[in-house]
Amino acid sequence: MKDYELFTRDTKAFVYGSQTRAVQRMLDFDYMCRRDSPSVVAMITPERGGFEKFFWGTREIRIPRIRSIGEAVDLFPAADVLVNFASQRSAFDVTMEALEADTIWTIAVIAEGVPERQARILAAAAKEKRKWIIGPATVGGIKAGAFKIGNTAGTMENIRMAKLYRPGSVGFVSVSGGMSNEAYNIIARTTDGLNEGIAIGGDAYPGSTLLDHLLRYEKNPEIKLLVCLGEVGGTAEYEIAEAMKDGRIKKPLVIWVTGTCAKVLPGQVQFGHAGAKAGSEIETADAKNAALREAGAVVPDSFDDYHLRIKETYERLVADGTITPAVDFDPPQIPMDYKQAVAEGLIRRPTHFVSTICDERGEVHSYAGVPIDDVIEERYGIGGVIGLLWFKRVIPPHAREFLEMVIQIIADHGPAVSGAHNTIVAARAGKDLLSSLVSGILTIGPRFGGAVNGAAEHFLYGLRSNLSPREFVDAMKKKNVRIQGIGHRLHTVENPDKRVEILKGFAKENFRATPLLDYALSVEEVTTKKKANLILNVDGCIGVLLVDLLKELGFGDDEIDRMIAMGTFNALFVLGRSIGLIGHYFDQNRLEQGLYRHPLDDILYDVPERPEEVG
Ligand code: ACO
Ligand code: LMR
């Protein structure tokens, strides 16, 4: 790289700090310039490693996050620029560390308010190592068509309008970053465009000065016209005047020192920047403009004429053949971010999901339209929540109470039943909570706990077909189908299931009518005549009562059939029994029970000695 060149189309940079938006802007600029590869090779973020995703045009790419400068320079020795977004507190240490790194040559220090003493140390250290510091307190700079520091030059739209995606003939340097955006637009309108622009930052002791950059531009053969914006305060502009006088600057320079209005304001005015105040007559904008004019610079009468002087000077250089105007081209489009396009109403797309039971987008999320704070305040309870999330209805108190009663009643039925047994065996095999729970839940089916659905279906079939209980039992036997909800291993007519008694009692007292329960009970009369254990069991009772309840709540036959098809009725057993299964898992853990192995004498071994060979 030539000594006057800080950035090229191949520049590789690190960005220090979690400035993802700035990185994306840098990459968008690279893409617009048709660079071969992104300029940012890594982010340096001590707080975390991993990577960050960014767009390269329409494609997503990964950029690593590296925790330290040391690691970053080892991994990417070709990167010679550091864009330092470290805070005011750590900007100094980070910059000093980067100055020590052999491969980093240019550091842009973005932080404002770096103490003057530290800024002077940084500037001196950089000079000694022949390295470059841009800033502190700067937005950075831009090499048109090649590389952009952080947020320099504003939006992509601004960059496109100012034609910064390809180099022109103008080298620009200013104190202020904000003014530089304005200047880039002026330069685009009045010349063949910017070649390079740097904002040195508004502190009293910048790491590099206006003159440092003008001298670089002087050496750069691509740059034919120098444009500069100085500022009231300090004496840096006199250095420029000197350089013009002693021949170090030969290229035409259009310059304006801002802050001429300071003289009409009372007292010593401090402008936005730390360095922008005139301590004595020679630091005033007027004095500096006069000195520059005298040294041969093109100095307008006011900022209003700045663009005219740039235009005239440029046109003169074209006329005398010094400048061959750069050829323009259409840069690639930078795709708009999806979020922004949606916000501006520019695009739409069909959704992939529909949800009609819960919405989490508001301040407080809602169950079927009822905000959860109302759910709590109005005491919906578990029953009310099931009403909202399963049935999308605000169900009345007796319906809530019924659902809650079911859950409590079927929460557990001892360690011997299929589900609990499986959970216990899994827990004792060292499985975790979820695996043990799921292993219990997975036993719920047509013989155990999962007959609620089937019971609703079977008894509804009998009732809707106008079959007498006897006809129904016979019809099912003919089909060789066990009536779901009938029969129990333990409970009989003489040893009734208390749970069934409770549910029946509640329904008789609170439901408007119980037609399906009544039908099931008359079926029970028939089956128990055959065998005392063929009672209406707890699954059956829940199934038929739930149908009666849903009918009372206004659900039609079609809706109920659809619920049966979806397994809605079994869901209540799954929900309730999970409480017990989780309890068994905890119980086994607390008891520190070891692996279960079934006793061999509890198994009938009936294995043939050796089967005969076939074929
Ligand atoms: N419908 C019609 N006949 C039945 C039914 C039924 N649901 N259940 C048993 N029988 C008959 C059998 O066909 C058999 O008749 P057979 O002597 O003429 O051969 C007789 O009754 C005894 O059958 P078993 O299988 O010995 O009965 P068991 O007591 O072992 O079965 C079980 C209990 C598994 C619950 C059984 O009754 C059944 O499958 N019921 C339907 C499923 C069901 O409702 N499960 C939920 C139970 S409750 C719960 O898990 C929370
Ligand atoms: C249960 O609720 O788990 C029981 O009714 C099943 C059984 O086998 O006793």
Side-chain angles (χ1 to χ4, degrees), residues 17-32:
S18 262
Q19 293 284 332
T20 49
R21 283 171 67 97
V23 173
Q24 185 60 63
R25 284 178 167 190
M26 290 172 73
L27 300 189
D28 282 345
F29 176 74
D30 297 345
Y31 186 81
M32 199 186 233

Side-chain angles (χ1 to χ4, degrees), residues 446-449 482-483 485-487 489 530 533-534 537 539:
R447 292 182 194 156
F448 162 70
R482 284 188 172 194
I483 304 163
I486 288 286
R489 267 285 157 93
K530 183 184 171 196
N533 78 324
L534 295 183
N537 62 35
D539 281 16

Side-chain angles (χ1 to χ4, degrees), residues 447 459 469-470 472-474 476-477 481-497 500-501 504 519-538 540-541:
R447 292 182 194 156
F459 289 114
R470 162 61 58 195
F472 170 65
V473 172
D474 290 346
M476 295 298 278
K477 194 174 170 67
V481 173
R482 284 188 172 194
I483 304 163
Q484 295 286 283
I486 288 286
H488 199 273
R489 267 285 157 93
L490 205 64
H491 295 294
T492 61
V493 179
E494 295 76 32
N495 172 28
D497 188 336
V500 176
E501 301 303 309
K504 282 194 294 194
Y519 184 72
L521 290 175
S522 48
V523 169
E524 182 188 41
E525 269 177 38
V526 175
T527 53
T528 48
K529 281 213 179 87
K530 183 184 171 196
K531 241 183 137 207
N533 78 324
L534 295 183
I535 48 143
L536 177 66
N537 62 35
V538 70
C541 189

Side-chain angles (χ1 to χ4, degrees), residues 364-434:
V364 52
H365 72 266
S366 60
Y367 295 159
V370 180
I372 54 153
D373 40 4
D374 288 356
V375 168
I376 301 304
E377 260 167 49
E378 293 164 24
R379 304 198 188 288
Y380 273 64
I382 296 288
V385 169
I386 292 176
L388 293 172
L389 291 176
W390 290 11
F391 306 120
K392 302 203 313 180
R393 298 268 171 99
V394 177
I395 57 172
H398 75 284
R400 297 178 192 178
E401 208 181 319
F402 174 73
L403 295 177
E404 288 177 15
M405 185 179 284
V406 169
I407 288 170
Q408 293 171 65
I409 274 175
I410 45 121
D412 196 46
H413 199 234
V417 304
S418 309
H421 178 84
N422 262 14
T423 291
I424 290 170
V425 171
R428 292 184 58 172
K431 300 292 284 190
D432 58 292
L433 167 72
L434 271 184

